[in-house]
C-alpha cells in the first residue's frame, strides 16, 4: 500500500501549513499537533467555536489522499448536525467524494465544517437554521446505524389510510432478526369490533424466522402529527390530550409499543421498561408504482407446471413467480444436498429439504401472492400408477407445462399429456460442461408436437454434420483441456432465456417475440458454437397434420360407455 504522507511529503507539509495559516487567520479554530490513528491515518484534533459552543472535532485524512477528501467528525460520538452520517459520523460538507478535486485541502474542509455548524444556529423564531444539502441522503445512508426498522408495506399503508381519525386497536408486529438488526412488520390489526385485518403481502414463510410482539395502534386525529418526544411521560400526556383510547382487549397496563399513523405515515415508539424514555424506530416505507411491464398484468391468472426443481428448474420457477405468475405446480422428489448449492436457486437453509418444498418456500418469500402446489413425486419412475396419474392430472390443467429435467422418459410423458390436453410445452437443456444449452417450445396449432419438434432439432443437427450434444448430470464433460463443469452462470443464462420464452407463451403474444421455436445458445467456443452467445435459431415447421378420422361406430360406443360411467359415479 502506498503511504501518501511518505511518498508525497511535500503535500503533507503543505496541508500542515494551510491549517496553521487558517488558525492564525480566524478566531474560531484551535489546533493540536498532527498524529497517526490506529490505522496509520493522519489525523488532526481541533476545536471549532460556533454558536457560543466549542466543538471538539477530528480532521482525518484517508489512505487514498489526495485523491479522496479528508473527513471532519466529532472526536466523541455525538450528533451535531442534520448533515451528518449518523451519531458520531462525519459531517456532510460542501466537498465529498463526488466533487472533490486534489487542489482542495483539509483546511477547506475545516472551513466548511464551521460554516455548517454556524448556519444551523438556533433561530429567534424557534428551531434551527437550515443549511442547503450538497446532495440528497439515501435511505441506506440514513439507516446505516439504525438497528430497528419498521417496514411499512403498501397493503398496510392502504389499510391505515382507510381507517377513521382517532381509531385505535391492538396489533401484532413480526420482528425478524437479521445480523443484529431487526426488521419489524405490522402484520395484524385487531379492532374491538369487526374482523381482524391480516397483511397478506407479508410471506407466511417469514413467520418461521421471526417473533410476534403485541402493540397498540392509533390513527391520530386529522391534522395532528406525532411529536418527537424523548420522554415516555410526555408521550403519554400527548396521547391523553388527543383522546387516545386503549382497545378493550388490551389488559396490559404497561405501554411497551405504540404504532401511530398520521398525515406523515407510520411511526413506531418503544417505551423503556425501567426509565422515563421513549425511542423512535426508523421507518422503511414501500414506494408506489408497479415495477413489472404491462404485459405481465394478466399473469396472476395463469398457471405453470414445472417438472424438475434442480439447478435450472429452481431458477425458472422463482423467475416466473417474480414476473407475476399466480399459480405454479412443482414436481420433484429430489432432496437438496450441500453440493447442489453451487448452481441451485436455494441456499443452506434448505439443505436436507425436498427441493420442491424449498422452492415453494422461496417463492413465498419473493412473491407472497403466488399459489404453489407441490408434488414430491418422480415421473417416469417406479411410482404407483395412481400417484403418477394425480400428478399428470394437475399438470394437464396448467396453461403451460415445462420440462426442466432433461430426462428423455420424462419428456415423452409430458409431451404426451401436453398433446392430449392441447397444452403448450417448453423444454430446456444445459449441455454437459456448460458450453451451451437448448430452449424449445410446442404450441397447439402453431408448432409441431413436442416429439416431432425434438425430431426436427435432431434432423437439423444431422444436416450440420454433428450429433446432438449429451445432457449429463452434474453437467460435467471432458475435453483435451480436462474436465468441463457447468457453473451457476451457465445455468442462469439458459434458465433466464427459458423464462422469457415462457412469459411470451403465457402472454400469447402475436406475433411472438421469438420468431423460431427452438434455439441453441452457445456459452463457449465448442461444438457448433464459434464464440460465446453464438445462437442458432431452428425452424421446427408447422403443426402436425390432422390424424385419420375416428370410426363413427367406435366413437358412438365410447360415448355411450362414458355416459354410463358418469351416471354410475353420480348415483
Amino acid at each position: 500500500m502506498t503511504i501518501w504522507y511518505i511518498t508525497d511529503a511535500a503535500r503533507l507539509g503543505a496541508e500542515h501549513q494551510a491549517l496553521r495559516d487558517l488558525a492564525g487567520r480566524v478566531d474560531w479554530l484551535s489546533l493540536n499537533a498532527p498524529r497517526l490513528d490506529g490505522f496509520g491515518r493522519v489525523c488532526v484534533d481541533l476545536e471549532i467555536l460556533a454558536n457560543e459552543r466549542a466543538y471538539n472535532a477530528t480532521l482525518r485524512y484517508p489512505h487514498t489522499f489526495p485523491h479522496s477528501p479528508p473527513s471532519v467528525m466529532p472526536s466523541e460520538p455525538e450528533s451535531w448536525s442534520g448533515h451528518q452520517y449518523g451519531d458520531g459520523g462525519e459531517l456532510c460538507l460542501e466537498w465529498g467524494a463526488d466533487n472533490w478535486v486534489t487542489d482542495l485541502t483539509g483546511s477547506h474542509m475545516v472551513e466548511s465544517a464551521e460554516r455548517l455548524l454556524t448556519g444551523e444556529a438556533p433561530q429567534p423564531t424557534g428551531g434551527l437554521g437550515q443549511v442547503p444539502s450538497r446532495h440528497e441522503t439515501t435511505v441506506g445512508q440514513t439507516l446505516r446505524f439504525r438497528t430497528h426498522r419498521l417496514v411499512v408495506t403498501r397493503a398496510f399503508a392502504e389499510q391505515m389510510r382507510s381507517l377513521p381519525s382517532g381509531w385505535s386497536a391492538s396489533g401484532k408486529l413480526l420482528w425478524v432478526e437479521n445480523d443484529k438488526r431487526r426488521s419489524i412488520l405490522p402484520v395484524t390489526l385487531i379492532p374491538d369490533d369487526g374482523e381482524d385485518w391480516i397483511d397478506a403481502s407479508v410471506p407466511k414463510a417469514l413467520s418461521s424466522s421471526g417473533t410476534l410482539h403485541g402493540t397498540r395502534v392509533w390513527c391520530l386525529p386529522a391534522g395532528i402529527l406525532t411529536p418527537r418526544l424523548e420522554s415516555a411521560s410526555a408521550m403519554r400526556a400527548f396521547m391523553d390530550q388527543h383522546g387516545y383510547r386503549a382497545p378493550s382487549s388490551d389488559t396490559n397496563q404497561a405501554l411497551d409499543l405504540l404504532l401511530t399513523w398520521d398525515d406523515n405515515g407510520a411511526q413506531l415508539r418503544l417505551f423503556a421498561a425501567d426509565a422515563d424514555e421513549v425511542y423512535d424506530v426508523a421507518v422503511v416505507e414501500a414506494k408506489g408504482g408497479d415495477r413489472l411491464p404491462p404485459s405481465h398484468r394478466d399473469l396472476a391468472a395463469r398457471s405453470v407446471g414445472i417438472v424438475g426443481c434442480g439447478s435450472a428448474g429452481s431458477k425458472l420457477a422463482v423467475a416466473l413467480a417474480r414476473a407475476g405468475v399466480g399459480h405454479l405446480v412443482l414436481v420433484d422428489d429430489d432432496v437438496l444436498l450441500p453440493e447442489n448449492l453451487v448452481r441451485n436457486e436455494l441456499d443452506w437453509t434448505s439443505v436436507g429439504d425436498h427441493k420442491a418444498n424449498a422452492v415453494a418456500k422461496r417463492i413465498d418469500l419473493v412473491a407472497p401472492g403466488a399459489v404453489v402446489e407441490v408434488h414430491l413425486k418422480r415421473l417416469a419412475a417406479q411410482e404407483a400408477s395412481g400417484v403418477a396419474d394425480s400428478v399428470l392430472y394437475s399438470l394437464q390443467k396448467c396453461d403451460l407445462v415445462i420440462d426442466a429435467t432433461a430426462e428423455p422418459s420424462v419428456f415423452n410423458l409430458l409431451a404426451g399429456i401436453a398433446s392430449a390436453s392441447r397444452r403448450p410445452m417448453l423444454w430446456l437443456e444445459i449441455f454437459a460442461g456448460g458450453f451451451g444449452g437448448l430452449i424449445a417450445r410446442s404450441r397447439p396449432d402453431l408448432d409441431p408436437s413436442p416429439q416431432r419438434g425434438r425430431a426436427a432439432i435432431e434432423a437439423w443437427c444431422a444436416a450440420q454434420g454433428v450429433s446432438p450434444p449429451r445432457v449429463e448430470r452434474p453437467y460435467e464433460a471432458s475435453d483435451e483441456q480436462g474436465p468441463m463443469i457447468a457453473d451457476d452462470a451457465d445455468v442462469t443464462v439458459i434458465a433466464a432465456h427459458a423464462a422469457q420464452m415462457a412469459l411470451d407463451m403465457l402472454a400469447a403474444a402475436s406475433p411472438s417475440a421469438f420468431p423460431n421455436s427452438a434455439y441453441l445458445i452457445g456459452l463457449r467456443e465448442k461444438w457448433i458454437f464459434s464464440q460465446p452467445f453464438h445462437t442458432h435459431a431452428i425452424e421446427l415447421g408447422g403443426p402436425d397434420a390432422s390424424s385419420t378420422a375416428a370410426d363413427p361406430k367406435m366413437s358412438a360406443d365410447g360415448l355411450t360407455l362414458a355416459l354410463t360411467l358418469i351416471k354410475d359415479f353420480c348415483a
Side-chain angles (χ1 to χ4, degrees):
M1 180 181 69
T2 301
I3 302 176
W4 72 270
Y5 49 84
I6 293 178
T7 59
D8 192 1
R11 181 62 186 257
L12 176 63
E15 288 290 320
H16 190 207
Q17 186 60 49
L19 287 169
R20 287 189 295 183
D21 290 345
L22 176 62
R25 195 169 63 247
V26 300
D27 58 2
W28 49 261
L29 177 64
S30 300
L31 297 173
N32 290 332
R35 62 178 175 84
L36 296 182
D37 68 4
F39 296 94
R41 295 172 296 196
V42 174
C43 296
V44 179
D45 295 319
L46 49 91
E47 182 184 83
I48 298 174
L49 295 177
N51 309 323
E52 301 181 353
R53 174 183 171 182
Y55 292 88
N56 293 313
T58 297
L59 173 67
R60 187 178 70 195
Y61 290 85
H63 289 301
T64 53
F65 187 81
H67 307 292
S68 299
S71 304
V72 178
M73 64 196 66
S75 297
E76 299 293 334
E78 292 181 300
S79 179
W80 284 355
S81 167
H83 300 274
Q84 185 176 0
Y85 294 107
D87 291 348
E90 65 181 86
L91 300 176
C92 180
L93 302 173
E94 295 163 80
W95 296 283
D98 56 330
N99 62 354
W100 173 261
V101 292
T102 57
D103 293 339
L104 295 169
T105 67
S107 65
H108 290 100
M109 303 299 284
V110 174
E111 288 184 280
S112 179
E114 189 273 337
R115 284 193 290 271
L116 171 64
L117 296 172
T118 300
E120 291 186 323
Q123 301 299 300
T125 57
L128 299 178
Q130 298 296 313
V131 176
S133 176
R134 177 172 57 84
H135 63 271
E136 292 294 328
T137 302
T138 67
V139 174
Q141 290 171 319
T142 303
L143 297 179
R144 190 176 297 159
F145 303 102
R146 304 294 296 272
T147 58
H148 292 67
R149 303 163 185 191
L150 177 70
V151 179
V152 179
T153 66
R154 291 170 62 182
F156 177 75
E158 290 171 3
Q159 177 65 16
M160 295 303 293
R161 292 190 189 100
S162 71
L163 297 172
S165 297
W167 182 88
S168 63
S170 298
K172 294 290 184 182
L173 302 174
L174 180 64
W175 292 49
V176 181
E177 295 275 351
N178 186 11
D179 191 23
K180 298 182 180 180
R181 289 177 171 80
R182 296 173 180 87
S183 294
I184 306 171
L185 297 94
V187 292
T188 308
L189 298 175
I190 309 170
D192 281 344
D193 53 358
E195 297 182 356
D196 294 355
W197 177 85
I198 298 175
D199 192 340
S201 69
V202 177
K204 296 181 180 66
L206 204 60
S207 300
S208 62
S209 59
T211 306
L212 286 175
H213 291 268
T215 185
R216 299 181 188 183
V217 185
W218 181 29
C219 288
L220 269 66
I224 303 298
L225 300 179
T226 309
R228 297 195 60 172
L229 301 172
E230 297 181 358
S231 162
S233 56
M235 190 68 206
R236 290 188 180 93
F238 171 82
M239 295 165 66
D240 293 339
Q241 177 186 356
H242 293 285
Y244 169 76
R245 293 182 301 104
S248 59
S249 59
D250 188 357
T251 59
N252 182 15
Q253 297 301 314
L255 182 57
D256 302 321
L257 294 164
L258 176 65
L259 177 60
T260 60
W261 182 270
D262 58 31
D263 292 342
N264 289 336
Q267 303 273 351
L268 180 63
R269 301 295 196 283
L270 279 66
F271 288 76
D274 53 0
D276 186 27
E277 297 176 351
V278 65
Y279 307 100
D280 291 337
V281 174
V283 178
V284 181
E285 187 169 3
K287 299 185 182 298
D290 194 344
R291 297 197 174 191
L292 292 174
S295 59
H296 288 36
R297 290 173 184 163
D298 296 333
L299 292 177
R302 309 307 295 273
S303 59
V304 177
I306 300 177
V307 181
C309 293
S311 301
S314 63
K315 297 177 187 297
L316 186 52
V318 173
L320 294 178
R322 289 184 192 273
V325 173
H327 186 187
L328 293 109
V329 177
L330 306 180
V331 183
D332 198 323
D333 75 328
D334 201 9
V335 172
L336 186 73
L337 301 176
E339 53 266 34
N340 299 141
L341 298 179
V342 295
R343 285 184 293 264
N344 205 286
E345 174 71 16
L346 304 170
D347 57 38
W348 253 104
T349 60
S350 299
V351 169
D353 197 0
H354 280 87
K355 292 177 180 177
N357 279 336
V359 172
K361 180 179 179 180
R362 175 74 174 146
I363 289 172
D364 181 47
L365 288 171
V366 301
V371 176
V372 184
E373 179 183 336
V374 173
H375 295 271
L376 305 180
K377 307 295 189 299
R378 180 178 291 271
L379 293 182
Q382 193 168 358
E383 295 269 17
S385 298
V387 168
D389 183 63
S390 67
V391 176
L392 296 177
Y393 179 72
S394 293
L395 290 173
Q396 70 182 5
K397 293 188 295 181
C398 293
D399 297 306
L400 173 64
V401 177
I402 298 177
D403 176 16
T405 68
E407 296 281 356
S409 56
V410 174
F411 173 87
N412 287 333
L413 188 59
L414 295 180
I417 68 161
S419 297
S421 58
R422 293 183 55 77
R423 289 289 189 262
M425 177 174 163
L426 180 146
W427 64 100
L428 66 153
E429 300 173 1
I430 291 91
F431 301 146
F435 66 84
L438 161 71
I439 301 169
R441 69 185 174 193
S442 173
R443 299 164 297 172
D445 302 324
L446 294 173
D447 300 309
S449 65
Q451 291 98 333
R452 291 184 181 275
R454 180 175 61 180
I457 295 171
E458 293 178 350
W460 183 91
C461 290
Q464 313 305 311
V466 298
S467 299
R470 295 173 295 114
V471 177
E472 298 180 358
R473 304 291 190 286
Y475 303 135
E476 297 177 359
S478 297
D479 64 8
E480 56 274 11
Q481 277 79 43
M484 295 173 57
I485 304 175
D487 60 20
D488 185 69
D490 300 326
V491 177
T492 300
V493 169
I494 304 303
H497 286 310
Q500 287 289 2
M501 180 177 274
L503 293 172
D504 182 81
M505 296 171 73
L506 290 169
S510 181
S512 168
F514 298 85
N516 296 88
S517 287
Y519 293 87
L520 295 169
I521 303 169
L523 302 176
R524 311 271 196 285
E525 182 184 352
K526 187 177 175 64
W527 192 47
I528 57 172
F529 304 123
S530 62
Q531 60 182 316
F533 306 129
H534 182 191
T535 300
H536 294 278
I538 302 176
E539 174 56 50
L540 300 183
D544 298 351
S546 301
S547 58
T548 306
D551 185 331
K553 182 179 184 305
M554 291 298 170
S555 296
D557 290 347
L559 180 59
T560 300
L561 178 57
L563 292 174
T564 301
L565 291 172
I566 294 172
K567 180 179 178 182
D568 292 343
F569 175 77
C570 296

